[in-house]
C-alpha cells in the first residue's frame, strides 16, 4: 500500500540529493588520473557554472516526464491549495481599500510543473472568492508559467483546466526566471509589463527556487571567500554531449575583493551574515534574488511571494547554524535559503512570515512588499493559524502513521483524515485497502456520509500516471456498497486514464453483469480469457453470460 512517506520523496530523506546535482556534487568520488581528464570548465563561480544549464536542459527535454523523477506531491495537493487560497484571500481583504477594481488581480505561478497544484488552487479559489462581499466583482486571473513549451502544451490541452479557461480565470505564459521584462499571456494576448500593473502581483513559487542558481561563500576568521568549481571528464568522452553522469568536479575558494555583487541590496544581505558569523559556509540564492528583483520591477514594488520548499528559515539555532558552519556536501546548500529571501524583503521595507518549527522538512514563507507598508492583520493571523499552528502541509504526513494499523481504525477515522486532507484522492490511494475493510457492517447513515465524501474526492482527481490511480480504490469501494453504476464509471475512468489492468478487467464485466448488460459483460470476460487463458473467473463469467443470452432468445 502506498504511503505519504513514499509520496513526499526526497523531502523526507535527509540524505537524498536534488535532481541535477547528484553526480556533479559528489566531491568524494574517486577521480581518474589528471592526464586522462579533459577540463570542461575551470575556476567558475557556482552561480555561473554549467550546472544550471544542464539542469534547465533536463527540465526542457523531459517536459511533464521530469516529475517521474522529481518529487512534487508535497507542494501539489488539495490541502496546501486550501491553505494558500486562505492566505491570498486574507491578503486581498487586508489590501482591499487600495485595490484598483477596474484592473485585474494577477496570480502568477512560477514553474507550474505537473499542473496539479494549479488545478487544486483554482477549485478552491473559485469556491471561496465569493464568500467575502469586499471581494465581489474583482477580476481575478491565474497564470501558469514555465520555460518549457512542452509543459504549456500539456496544460492547455488538459481537460481539467478547460472550465477555468472558458471563464477567463486561467491563462498561460512562458517565463524564464529573471530573463523576461514582459510576460505574454497565451489566451488573452495581453502582456504584463513593468509599470503597468495597478494591483499587487501575487506570486507562487513552490519547488522553484531550489533549482535556481546559488553561490557559496565561506567565512574564515571573518575573511570572505567564494566557492570556485572546475569540471572535468574522462577524455574518452571528449566530443560527447555533456551529461551529469560523466562529469567530475573539484572545488576551491578564492578571496572576495571588494563587494561580492554589483547590487547593493544583495551585498546588504551578505553583509548581515558577515556580521553574525566569523566562520561559516553561506549558501547565497543568486537565482532567487534575480527572480525576485525582476518580479519586483514588473509589479511596481507591489509584490506578494508565497513559497513552500525544502529549506531553512532561521540561522540562530544549532541545526541551522550547522548548514552554514560545516563544509557540507554542496547539494545540501541547494535547500532554499528562506532566511536570505526574507531579509531581502525586510531590507526593502517589506514583511515576511515564515514557519518557525525547526524540525519541519518543508518550510513555507510569505514575503510581501507593498508601498506604503500596510498592517496586514488578517494575513498575519491566517499565516500564524493555518501555517505555523496547524500546518497541514507537514503534519498530515506524520498523522498518516496513525492509520497504519488498519485493524484498529473505524470508518469515521478514515473519513476524518480524508476531510483533513481536503478530500485528497492520494489519501484514498494510501489507505484505500483498509477503508475497504472498514465498510463491513456500514449503516445507511454512514454510507450516505461516505458517498458524499467520495463525490468530493472524485472532483479532486488530477490524473498523473503511474502512481496515483485513485479510481481503482474508489471502484472497489462502490462495488462493496452495491453501487454498480458508480463502480463501473470508476473502472472505466481508470482504464481510460491508466490503461487496462487486472482490477478493471475483473470489475468491469461484473458491473455490466449486475446491471443486466450481458452482451458487454461477455465481451469483457472473453477479453480476459484472451490475456489469461487459465482464468476461472473469465470462464465462469462466459458460461453465465452465454446461458443468460440463450435464455433471452
Amino acid at each position: 500500500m502506498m504511503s505519504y512517506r513514499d509520496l513526499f520523496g526526497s523531502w523526507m530523506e535527509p540524505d537524498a540529493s536534488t535532481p541535477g546535482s547528484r553526480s556533479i556534487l559528489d566531491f568524494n568520488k574517486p577521480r581518474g588520473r589528471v592526464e586522462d581528464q579533459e577540463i570542461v570548465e575551470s575556476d567558475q563561480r557556482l552561480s555561473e557554472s554549467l550546472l544550471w544549464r544542464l539542469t534547465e536542459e533536463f527540465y526542457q527535454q523531459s517536459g511533464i516526464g521530469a516529475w517521474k523523477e522529481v518529487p512534487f506531491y508535497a507542494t501539489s495537493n488539495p490541502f496546501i491549495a486550501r491553505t494558500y487560497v486562505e492566505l491570498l484571500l486574507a491578503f486581498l481583504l487586508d489590501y482591499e481599500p487600495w485595490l484598483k477594481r477596474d484592473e485585474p488581480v494577477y496570480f502568477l505561478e512560477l514553474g507550474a510543473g505537473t499542473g496539479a497544484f494549479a488545478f487544486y488552487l483554482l477549485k478552491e479559489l473559485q469556491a471561496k472568492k465569493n464568500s467575502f462581499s469586499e471581494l465581489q466583482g474583482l477580476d481575478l486571473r491565474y497564470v501558469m508559467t514555465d520555460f518549457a513549451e512542452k509543459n504549456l502544451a500539456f496544460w492547455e490541452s488538459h481537460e481539467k483546466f478547460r472550465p477555468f479557461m472558458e471563464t477567463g480565470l486561467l491563462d498561460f505564459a512562458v517565463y524564464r526566471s529573471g530573463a523576461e521584462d514582459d510576460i505574454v499571456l497565451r489566451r488573452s494576448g495581453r502582456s504584463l509589463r513593468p509599470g503597468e500593473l495597478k494591483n499587487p502581483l501575487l506570486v507562487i513559487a513552490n519547488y522553484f527556487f531550489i533549482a535556481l542558481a546559488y553561490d557559496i561563500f565561506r567565512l574564515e576568521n571573518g575573511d570572505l571567500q567564494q566557492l570556485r568549481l572546475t569540471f572535468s571528464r574522462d577524455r574518452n568522452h571528449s566530443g560527447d554531449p555533456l551529461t551529469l553522469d560523466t562529469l567530475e568536479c573539484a572545488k576551491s575558494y578564492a578571496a572576495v575583493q571588494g563587494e561580492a555583487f554589483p547590487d547593493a541590496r544583495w551585498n546588504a544581505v551578505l553583509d548581515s551574515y558577515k556580521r553574525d558569523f566569523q566562520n561559516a559556509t553561506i549558501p547565497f540564492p543568486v537565482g532567487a534574488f534575480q527572480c525576485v528583483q525582476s518580479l519586483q520591477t514588473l509589479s511596481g514594488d507591489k509584490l506578494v511571494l508565497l513559497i513552500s520548499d525544502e529549506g531553512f528559515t532561521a540561522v540562530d539555532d544549532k541545526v541551522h547554524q550547522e548548514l552554514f558552519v560545516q563544509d557540507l556536501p554542496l547539494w545540501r546548500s541547494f535547500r532554499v535559503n528562506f532566511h536570505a529571501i526574507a531579509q531581502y524583503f525586510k531590507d526593502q521595507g517589506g514583511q515576511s512570515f515564515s514557519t518557525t518549527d525547526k524540525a519541519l522538512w518543508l518550510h513555507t514563507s510569505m514575503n510581501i512588499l507593498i508601498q506604503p507598508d500596510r498592517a496586514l492583520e488578517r494575513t498575519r493571523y491566517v499565516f500564524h493559524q493555518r501555517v505555523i499552528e496547524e500546518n497541514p502541509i507537514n503534519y498530515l504526513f506524520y498523522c498518516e502513521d496513525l492509520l497504519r494499523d488498519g485493524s484498529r481504525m473505524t470508518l469515521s477515522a478514515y473519513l476524518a483524515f480524508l476531510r483533513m486532507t481536503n478530500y485528497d484522492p492520494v489519501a484514498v490511494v494510501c489507505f484505500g485497502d483498509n477503508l475497504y475493510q472498514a465498510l463491513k457492517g456500514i449503516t445507511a447513515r454512514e454510507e450516505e456520509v461516505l458517498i458524499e465524501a467520495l463525490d468530493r474526492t472524485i472532483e479532486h482527481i488530477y490524473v498523473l500516471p503511474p502512481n496515483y490511480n485513485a479510481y481503482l480504490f474508489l471502484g472497489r469501494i462502490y462495488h462493496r456498497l452495491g453501487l454498480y453504476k458508480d463502480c463501473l464509471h470508476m473502472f472505466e475512468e481508470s482504464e481510460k486514464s491508466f490503461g487496462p489492468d487486472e482490477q478493471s478487467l475483473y470489475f468491469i464485466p461484473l458491473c455490466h453483469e449486475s446491471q443486466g448488460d450481458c452482451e458487454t459483460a461477455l465481451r469483457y470476460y472473453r477479453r480476459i480469457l484472451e490475456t489469461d487463458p487459465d482464468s476461472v473467473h473469465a470462464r465462469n463469467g462466459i458460461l453465465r453470460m452465454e446461458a443468460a443470452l440463450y435464455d433471452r432468445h
Side-chain angles (χ1 to χ4, degrees):
M1 181 172 61
M2 183 177 293
S3 71
Y4 278 121
R5 196 176 304 274
D6 300 323
L7 297 171
F8 271 62
S10 67
W11 274 293
M12 299 302 169
E13 300 295 336
D15 294 323
S17 60
T18 55
S21 65
R22 173 179 49 79
S23 298
I24 288 181
L25 303 177
D26 184 2
F27 294 109
N28 299 315
K29 173 167 85 171
R31 311 210 181 282
R33 296 185 306 169
V34 173
E35 58 268 29
D36 295 332
Q37 297 291 300
E38 173 193 35
I39 301 299
V40 177
E41 189 173 78
S42 180
D43 196 35
Q44 187 66 269
R45 63 193 297 172
L46 173 60
S47 64
E48 297 176 358
S49 74
L50 55 76
L51 170 62
W52 312 108
R53 174 169 61 83
L54 293 178
T55 301
E56 181 172 322
E57 287 176 359
F58 165 75
Y59 284 103
Q60 190 78 262
Q61 294 168 7
S62 301
I64 293 297
W67 282 270
K68 293 180 181 178
E69 301 179 37
V70 179
F72 65 90
Y73 172 75
T75 55
S76 299
N77 54 64
F79 44 91
I80 188 175
R82 177 172 58 189
T83 301
Y84 271 37
V85 167
E86 290 174 0
L87 285 169
L88 294 168
L89 290 180
F91 169 78
L92 290 176
L93 288 168
D94 278 330
Y95 196 81
E96 189 273 332
W98 300 278
L99 288 173
K100 307 300 182 184
R101 304 190 71 89
D102 56 343
E103 289 287 332
V105 176
Y106 285 100
F107 299 74
L108 191 69
E109 184 183 354
L110 307 183
T114 64
F117 173 82
F119 169 65
Y120 293 130
L121 187 138
L122 286 164
K123 286 186 68 67
E124 287 294 314
L125 184 62
Q126 199 171 53
K128 289 182 167 58
K129 65 178 182 177
N130 293 326
S131 299
F132 304 97
S133 59
E134 302 98 313
L135 303 182
Q136 295 294 314
L138 277 182
D139 183 7
L140 304 181
R141 311 280 183 92
Y142 193 90
V143 183
M144 298 170 65
T145 74
D146 202 290
F147 64 82
E149 282 283 349
K150 290 180 180 179
N151 292 344
L152 269 72
F154 175 80
W155 305 330
E156 289 180 298
S157 63
H158 203 297
E159 62 178 10
K160 291 288 186 178
F161 291 126
R162 193 171 298 121
F164 306 115
M165 289 188 281
E166 291 172 352
T167 61
L169 177 59
L170 177 62
D171 215 322
F172 310 95
V174 171
Y175 178 78
R176 178 172 278 97
S177 177
E180 277 92 7
D181 292 328
D182 299 352
I183 299 178
V184 181
L185 306 185
R186 287 288 183 89
R187 295 187 62 80
S188 69
R190 180 169 180 172
S191 292
L192 308 184
R193 298 187 176 92
E196 294 186 3
L197 294 183
K198 305 304 180 183
N199 288 314
L201 180 63
L202 281 56
V203 178
I204 296 166
N206 290 341
Y207 197 63
F208 183 76
F209 289 154
I210 200 169
L212 300 187
Y214 263 82
D215 270 327
I216 302 294
F217 294 94
R218 184 171 71 180
L219 283 168
E220 284 196 341
N221 299 319
D223 294 329
L224 187 66
Q225 304 171 351
Q226 186 180 62
L227 177 72
R228 299 281 178 159
L229 301 178
T230 294
F231 293 97
S232 63
R233 63 178 175 178
D234 192 296
R235 291 188 184 279
N236 292 329
H237 296 289
S238 181
D240 295 343
L242 291 177
T243 64
L244 299 179
D245 292 335
T246 59
L247 286 171
E248 296 180 358
C249 183
K251 65 177 179 177
S252 61
Y253 283 89
V256 176
Q257 305 294 336
E259 299 286 10
F261 299 103
D263 195 299
R265 293 170 291 185
W266 297 23
N267 290 320
V269 176
L270 187 57
D271 288 343
S272 69
Y273 294 128
K274 291 163 64 177
R275 288 192 300 270
D276 293 339
F277 297 97
Q278 278 291 303
N279 296 282
T281 299
I282 306 167
F284 197 82
V286 172
F289 280 0
Q290 290 172 336
C291 181
V292 168
Q293 285 189 205
S294 173
L295 295 170
Q296 184 179 345
T297 301
L298 177 64
S299 69
D301 290 330
K302 299 186 294 293
L303 178 63
V304 177
L305 177 63
L306 188 51
I307 318 165
S308 286
D309 214 324
E310 184 185 2
F312 52 95
T313 60
V315 294
D316 57 354
D317 65 288
K318 183 177 183 297
V319 173
H320 291 85
Q321 282 188 32
E322 287 178 355
L323 289 170
F324 281 68
V325 176
Q326 293 184 2
D327 192 10
L328 297 172
L330 188 55
W331 72 261
R332 291 288 294 271
S333 298
F334 290 177
R335 299 171 69 203
V336 174
N337 189 342
F338 290 102
H339 179 271
I341 296 170
Q343 188 63 49
Y344 177 88
F345 273 80
K346 292 174 183 176
D347 286 348
Q348 310 308 308
Q351 300 182 52
S352 182
F353 313 129
S354 298
T355 44
T356 56
D357 184 346
K358 309 301 191 299
L360 294 178
W361 292 102
L362 200 68
H363 281 282
T364 299
S365 176
M366 189 172 189
N367 305 276
I368 301 170
L369 181 64
I370 48 177
Q371 302 295 340
D373 193 15
R374 306 296 179 189
L376 303 180
E377 292 177 350
R378 293 182 182 86
T379 309
R380 184 184 303 275
Y381 176 80
V382 172
F383 193 95
H384 181 81
Q385 290 300 118
R386 296 290 289 136
V387 181
I388 294 178
E389 292 292 332
E390 299 174 23
N391 202 305
I393 301 167
N394 282 273
Y395 295 156
L396 279 172
F397 162 77
Y398 299 110
C399 288
E400 190 215 358
D401 288 340
L402 300 174
L403 304 177
R404 290 192 178 277
D405 185 357
S407 63
R408 298 182 182 179
M409 305 306 296
T410 65
L411 176 61
S412 297
Y414 292 117
L415 285 174
F417 189 77
L418 190 59
R419 292 189 186 101
M420 287 172 60
T421 66
N422 193 21
Y423 303 95
D424 184 5
V426 173
V428 175
V429 176
C430 290
F431 59 67
D433 287 333
N434 290 339
L435 175 58
Y436 181 83
Q437 298 301 325
L439 297 179
K440 185 177 181 180
I442 186 172
T443 67
R445 174 56 183 160
E446 287 174 330
E447 181 175 329
E448 181 181 342
V449 173
L450 173 62
I451 291 172
E452 181 182 351
L454 296 182
D455 287 344
R456 297 186 66 175
T457 303
I458 291 167
E459 292 176 2
H460 281 162
I461 292 179
Y462 183 90
V463 173
L464 285 170
N467 294 324
Y468 309 103
N469 192 351
Y471 290 123
L472 296 179
F473 297 91
L474 292 164
R476 288 176 58 207
I477 292 168
Y478 282 129
H479 191 269
R480 184 73 174 260
L481 297 174
L483 301 174
Y484 301 118
K485 182 178 179 180
D486 295 301
C487 171
L488 181 61
H489 178 62
M490 289 298 98
F491 282 108
E492 287 177 340
E493 287 296 313
S494 171
E495 194 168 41
K496 181 174 72 175
S497 301
F498 297 90
D501 59 80
E502 290 184 4
Q503 288 197 58
S504 61
L505 288 176
Y506 179 86
F507 281 99
I508 288 177
L510 283 180
C511 289
H512 283 296
E513 182 177 350
S514 299
Q515 296 182 101
D517 186 354
C518 298
E519 291 89 346
T520 305
L522 180 60
R523 287 201 304 272
Y524 270 94
Y525 283 127
R526 286 173 174 168
R527 182 175 163 188
I528 296 172
L529 201 61
E530 290 174 1
T531 58
D532 183 8
D534 298 325
S535 173
V536 176
H537 165 68
R539 289 185 180 279
N540 290 339
I542 290 172
L543 290 174
R544 289 196 307 274
M545 296 305 96
E546 288 179 340
L549 290 171
Y550 179 83
D551 290 342
R552 288 182 184 179
H553 296 89

